[in-house]
Amino acid sequence: MTLIGLDDTDSREQGMCTTYLAARVAEEVRAAGGAVERLVLVRLNPAIEHKTRGNAALCVHTDLAAEKSLTIAREAVEALAATDDPRTNPGIVVAPGDDAPEPVVEFSRRAVREFLTLAEAESHVESVGYRHTGWGNSRGVIGALAAVGAWQAFDDPTYEYISYRESHRRGTPRDIDADSLFAAADWGYPSAWDTVDRGEGAMVCVPHAPGPILHGIRGDDPETVRAVAERIENEPVERGGLFVTNQGTDAHLRDGTIETSEDGRAYRLDGRVSNAPTTRRGGHVFFELGDGDGALACAAFEPTKRFRERVRALRVGDDLTVCGEVSEGTLKLEKFAVRDLVDTERTVPPCPDCGRSMESAGRGQGYRCRDCDTSAPGKVARPVERDLETGWYEVPPCARRHIAKPLVRGGFDAPTHPER
Ligand code: ATP
């Protein structure tokens, strides 16, 4: 087996896409007499700022010899990558042998959650005797090495079937029949997820950027994602490719505490709402979560759409688990679990005779009703109506990060309220 890791081949302006490059490498591998066992699409740390879009890296698993594989990959990068864009820094790592050694696998796991350096990537590449090539500042070697270890690093494989546009159509509006797409999405749900956003009426599987992708169907099994793609009526496609991925898995999240959370990392954190949600300019909703040792701002930004209603429904005292990336001291919510809801509030007691609110009888002297001459020693608990239940709430599909796990996939530790 030879593993061909690839990364950082596209540019925002020129609209290449590393998945497409990997699909083309796979085709060349087959043309050279090699078999392609799988294509791996790994989403690395979403907090990396020099990513073009989704921080994807790719790996082609083949039985072709390492030397020939490197030649094919190099030629593909030279022919297709946006190497003249100074922000595009492609990297290739070619690994002979069936299994990546543990340090490489660990490198992949860390690449999803931390910032790694090119020096560290190159030192691994050299110590295990892989071949590598880079262009520009060679930063793509980081992602390419992470892609090599990815198949072993992640234990919850999901799939994406990507259909690519014919080259002469790229940059023009995509010709896709929306009704057939929504019908196909329903047909494939819940095994295929995040195909559309019903609430927003959005075709989530269709990218906005120019690039070669027509649509990408994500889900739990390869047959369903392929079948959904085939049910969509659309312009002729140049080719399709099935990728095994770590998308939709929450692989980026780590358990942490409010006090020790750091910028640039994504967490699962427990706490209690310590400041009520407020909506700021632009429609962004903020509240504060505390846990006795510290407090952290949490935000649901405008693009998270109806999720903000869930966040606005929180009250001081609610116990939560929140998930998301911390950036500039604020956790950008991807999902949260309500663990315990405040269901009563302290209020001035009503008069038992007339039913109206009593008045204060003076400091520390309780409450009374002058008209009826009744009294009460202090405030009483009154039940409050809540628009939330215990369990997990999430952003809608239109706001999902590639790596975030949709609730419909299951395996959560409380009831779920999936968006679709
Ligand atoms: P593409 O479609 O080309 O894959 P992208 O959004 O995935 O676009 P890239 O252009 O690949 O973004 O840019 C990401 C860059 O960040 C790559 O050079 C990659 O090697 C590097 N990188 C990825 N993960 C990490 C990490 N954890 N630490 C440091 N650098 C990283």
Side-chain angles (χ1 to χ4, degrees), residues 73-330:
R74 201 182 265 143
E75 282 169 7
V77 170
E78 261 151 24
L80 296 170
T83 39
D84 48 344
D85 183 327
R87 283 171 302 175
T88 301
N89 300 291
I92 301 173
V93 172
V94 172
D98 280 351
D99 284 336
E102 187 50 32
V104 174
V105 176
E106 187 54 24
F107 184 87
S108 302
R109 289 196 194 99
R110 288 171 50 221
V112 173
R113 297 181 176 188
E114 298 171 22
F115 292 86
L116 302 174
T117 62
L118 178 58
E120 188 187 347
E122 285 177 334
S123 107
H124 282 301
V125 166
E126 271 149 37
S127 70
V128 295
Y130 290 167
R131 303 289 305 275
H132 75 291
T133 308
W135 288 257
N137 67 18
S138 298
R139 185 157 53 211
V141 169
I142 303 172
L145 181 65
V148 163
W151 171 246
Q152 288 157 260
F154 304 106
D155 54 7
D156 179 17
T158 64
Y159 297 86
E160 178 161 353
Y161 188 83
I162 303 182
S163 301
Y164 296 101
R165 310 187 72 190
E166 295 176 326
S167 60
H168 68 275
R169 293 178 200 272
R170 294 177 202 161
T172 66
R174 291 169 172 85
D175 184 6
I176 299 174
D177 176 67
D179 290 343
S180 71
L181 194 154
F182 277 86
D186 276 350
W187 177 86
Y189 189 85
S191 179
W193 25 263
D194 290 354
T195 312
V196 297
D197 187 320
R198 290 226 150 251
E200 289 297 313
M203 301 192 275
V204 176
C205 63
V206 180
H208 300 296
I213 296 182
L214 182 63
H215 46 64
I217 310 299
R218 300 177 180 186
D220 291 327
D221 77 81
E223 295 77 27
T224 307
V225 291
R226 189 190 291 266
V228 168
E230 280 165 3
R231 293 172 91 94
I232 302 170
E233 289 163 28
N234 46 243
E235 64 186 48
V237 298
E238 182 196 272
R239 70 185 66 233
L242 179 71
F243 296 85
V244 56
T245 86
N246 68 343
Q247 293 172 157
T249 65
D250 276 347
H252 62 316
L253 299 181
R254 64 178 80 210
D255 294 325
T257 64
I258 290 174
E259 205 183 10
T260 56
S261 62
E262 291 170 36
D263 277 1
R265 297 186 163 199
Y267 295 94
R268 234 176 256 112
L269 300 173
D270 293 329
R272 179 168 289 178
V273 177
S274 51
N275 253 321
T278 53
T279 303
R280 298 205 194 140
R281 223 168 78 194
H284 314 304
V285 182
F286 290 81
F287 68 90
E288 189 186 78
L289 193 75
D291 68 356
D293 294 324
L296 182 69
C298 297
F301 290 103
E302 190 283 329
T304 64
K305 302 295 174 195
R306 56 195 186 268
F307 178 63
R308 294 172 300 160
E309 288 159 31
R310 304 306 193 181
V311 175
R312 283 193 198 102
L314 291 167
R315 294 178 73 116
V316 170
D318 288 343
D319 283 329
L320 307 181
T321 301
V322 298
C323 298
E325 180 190 315
V326 178
S327 167
E328 295 174 20
T330 299

Side-chain angles (χ1 to χ4, degrees), residues 7-8 10 18 48 50 52-56 111 114 116 139-140 143:
D7 196 16
D8 207 338
D10 74 353
T18 310
I48 295 292
H50 37 253
T52 313
R53 280 181 295 269
N55 206 4
E114 298 171 22
L116 302 174
R139 185 157 53 211

Side-chain angles (χ1 to χ4, degrees), residues 17-71:
C17 160
T18 310
T19 70
Y20 180 73
L21 194 126
R24 292 284 297 267
V25 167
E27 180 180 273
E28 291 303 321
V29 162
R30 289 192 194 96
V36 174
E37 186 153 336
R38 65 182 72 85
L39 295 175
V40 178
L41 161 56
V42 62
R43 297 288 179 175
L44 302 174
N45 187 351
I48 295 292
E49 62 206 22
H50 37 253
K51 67 182 182 181
T52 313
R53 280 181 295 269
N55 206 4
L58 276 294
C59 189
V60 180
H61 290 214
T62 171
D63 59 3
L64 199 67
E67 204 55 43
K68 180 70 181 158
S69 297
L70 181 62
T71 307

